[in-house]
Amino acid sequence: MPLVTTTEMFKKAYEGGYAVGAFNVNNMEIVQGITEAASELKAPVILQVSAGARKYAKHAYLVKLVEAAVVDCPEIPIALHLDHGADFEICKSCIDGGFTSVMIDGSSRAFEDNIAETRKVVEYAHARGVVVEAELGKLAGIEDAVNVAADDAQFTNPAEVEEFVSKTGVDSLAIAIGTSHGAFKFKPGQKPQLRFDILEEVSRRLPGFPIVLHGASSVPQDLVKVINQFGGAMPDAIGIPEEMLRQAATMAVCKINIDSDVRVAMTAAIRKYMAENPSHFDPRQYLTPARTAVKEMVSHKITEVLGCAGKA
Ligand SMILES: [Zn+2]
């Protein structure tokens, strides 16, 4: 099948009590590792591209890589999504350039401004058969994860969601309930918490509406250990416990974004390979186990966290 939007994926995910994985792609090995896992497990999948990925690999290369995956894996639905579009212009560029879904992230703007920019993207996207994700509330970044996670002002305010969705016409909504971007989400000893009460209140106000979780990597400690064992330095890298994400997936959350865990898996595989094979210099030699590590990570997420195996 050709590239699809997320409309049907989310409808089935909401009804089925599971979530679809949205994995960030930056190169061929990542695209292949993700889609080979999804294909083997018959899982729908969202490949998402950030502004940083477009800068690194260029728009045309990423779109063609994803189109190649669609040819290689014809039996599963694949959506191509823009992650964190900062404004109308980048969203327009991706809508015009073959994406089936875009995120307009107006979460740092004032509420009315967020509505206006999101509305503008929705009108342009819907006229071209593309769907739109927006965000309310603000996720912490890498450095200030702890302080902001403790600050209620950064969580999504459920009282705003109905007005936001009805005024913008957006197709899905990312909310902030305690996840954060990056591999250093919490301090050692700090107990990760997700505000399931906010998620419940949002879904009560928006029945049947798909919710998105960003910053949802779990940063597996066994892989961090491998990285540190083979010359890396990632002390205190901590993520969201997978059982919390599994619970969110059974609720209104239909899309869970995973980026850091794929990076960690790749880096662990490459560090280990390089350390154990110091004379090798063919990139295919270390990118092969790296690609396998991506595939294993994504397979694990599909079966143990998202619950979307067999849902293609
Ligand atoms: Zn994000």
Side-chain angles (χ1 to χ4, degrees):
M1 65 184 85
L3 274 177
V4 299
T5 72
T6 53
T7 306
E8 192 64 23
M9 285 183 189
F10 288 170
K11 189 170 178 286
K12 287 164 76 177
Y14 199 100
E15 286 164 3
Y18 62 89
V20 179
F23 300 94
N24 287 74
V25 296
N26 296 284
N27 65 19
M28 185 189 77
E29 286 76 11
I30 297 175
V31 170
Q32 289 178 336
I34 295 165
T35 52
E36 282 171 18
S39 180
E40 271 183 27
L41 293 166
K42 303 275 177 283
V45 72
I46 299 163
L47 301 179
Q48 60 183 18
V49 167
S50 66
R54 282 175 98 226
K55 198 174 167 195
Y56 172 78
K58 293 188 186 173
H59 180 96
Y61 285 85
L62 291 168
V63 170
K64 294 298 176 192
L65 282 173
V66 170
E67 285 174 0
V70 168
V71 171
D72 197 35
C73 307
E75 69 290 354
I76 55 164
I78 300 176
L80 175 55
H81 174 75
L82 169 66
D83 191 23
H84 289 287
D87 53 29
F88 175 79
E89 286 311 316
I90 185 170
C91 291
K92 178 179 183 296
S93 159
C94 289
I95 293 163
D96 294 342
F99 283 46
T100 55
S101 174
V102 294
M103 176 194 191
I104 170 68
D105 181 0
S107 61
S108 61
R109 300 167 187 252
F111 185 64
E112 293 301 333
D113 200 22
N114 189 356
I115 288 178
E117 191 76 353
T118 301
R119 177 75 220 162
K120 195 175 164 191
V121 172
V122 167
E123 283 172 0
Y124 190 83
H126 284 185
R128 289 152 185 86
V130 172
V131 293
V132 181
E133 172 187 328
E135 179 165 335
L136 265 185
K138 209 161 148 189
L139 260 72
I142 295 170
E143 283 131 31
D144 47 13
V146 176
N147 293 336
V148 178
D151 180 356
D152 241 28
Q154 299 291 324
F155 291 120
T156 300
N157 177 2
E160 292 181 341
V161 297
E162 294 138 298
E163 183 186 355
F164 185 83
V165 168
S166 67
K167 283 189 174 170
T168 58
V170 77
D171 302 283
S172 62
L173 185 66
I175 62 170
I177 60 168
T179 59
S180 65
H181 292 118
F184 300 87
K185 300 184 196 296
F186 302 97
K187 278 185 177 161
Q190 190 195 14
K191 204 164 173 273
Q193 289 288 357
L194 289 191
R195 290 285 303 271
F196 286 107
D197 58 316
I198 295 177
L199 174 57
E200 273 174 3
E201 181 60 16
V202 167
S203 53
R204 195 186 64 75
R205 288 166 178 266
L206 298 173
F209 192 81
I211 300 302
V212 178
L213 275 193
H214 282 239
S217 277
S218 296
V219 195
Q221 293 302 300
D222 54 333
L223 294 178
V224 172
K225 217 173 135 187
V226 171
I227 288 175
N228 291 335
Q229 183 187 343
F230 292 103
M234 292 184 69
D236 308 332
I238 299 173
I240 310 289
E242 290 190 331
E243 57 273 19
M244 288 186 185
L245 300 170
R246 183 73 201 98
Q247 187 184 336
T250 65
M251 300 165 72
V253 171
C254 294
K255 172 174 178 270
I256 295 183
N257 290 6
I258 297 163
D259 186 8
S260 293
D261 284 352
V262 171
R263 298 179 182 195
V264 166
M266 271 192 112
T267 300
I270 291 173
R271 279 200 176 277
K272 184 168 187 289
Y273 186 90
M274 293 288 207
E276 290 175 347
N277 302 278
S279 66
H280 291 185
F281 63 94
D282 180 343
R284 290 172 297 186
Q285 290 172 310
Y286 53 84
L287 289 175
T288 297
R291 180 173 54 192
T292 302
V294 173
K295 185 176 175 181
E296 285 170 357
M297 174 59 70
V298 172
S299 299
H300 168 78
K301 295 291 180 184
I302 286 172
T303 52
E304 303 301 323
V305 179
L306 302 159
C308 62
K311 308 294 186 183

